[in-house]
Amino acid sequence: MAGVLHKSAASGGQPGGLAEPRETPPPCQEALISHVRRIAVHVDEPHPGHFFWVLTEECDDANLWRELESAPLSHDSWRDALHAGVRALEGYAPDPRTGPRQPGEDEDADPVG
């Protein structure tokens, strides 16, 4: 069983000291209509046996992704990290039927004008 590593924002996301709490960054894309945000989960293993989940979001340029959030502590297995990352992703969806949404107009609202 691997020991637990802490991920530090000061060290460029590499394991180190305690991570500082971060505010949730705004979504990359701005739209008039609310669409599902393109958020991906992947697992990083910066040191053998230390697995971190990472959430990234696609920006306006589909070739660019930015990190939204990552595990503050390492997991002992890739699978445990993946499952924890999926739970973190689910936290971005206030309504599990519609998923994480970009801010924008309410499609069900009455038209203005």
Side-chain angles (χ1 to χ4, degrees), residues 23-29 37-40 42 54-59 61 63-69 92:
E23 292 182 21
T24 302
C28 288
Q29 302 157 332
R37 292 169 66 181
R38 293 181 177 176
I39 301 174
H42 71 270
V54 180
L55 298 182
T56 55
E57 181 172 26
E58 182 183 54
C59 292
D61 178 346
N63 292 318
L64 298 176
W65 290 74
R66 70 179 180 101
E67 185 175 312
L68 287 176
E69 186 179 359
Y92 281 80

Side-chain angles (χ1 to χ4, degrees), residues 83-103:
H83 287 180
V86 169
R87 287 190 302 275
L89 173 57
E90 289 171 341
Y92 281 80
D95 183 345
R97 295 171 297 156
T98 59
R101 294 284 169 163
Q102 294 174 244

Side-chain angles (χ1 to χ4, degrees), residues 3-42:
V4 174
L5 286 180
H6 296 272
K7 200 163 200 180
S8 171
S11 65
Q14 295 301 318
L18 291 174
E20 295 179 22
R22 294 190 286 175
E23 292 182 21
T24 302
C28 288
Q29 302 157 332
E30 294 182 19
L32 294 177
I33 299 175
S34 176
H35 292 284
V36 174
R37 292 169 66 181
R38 293 181 177 176
I39 301 174
V41 178
H42 71 270

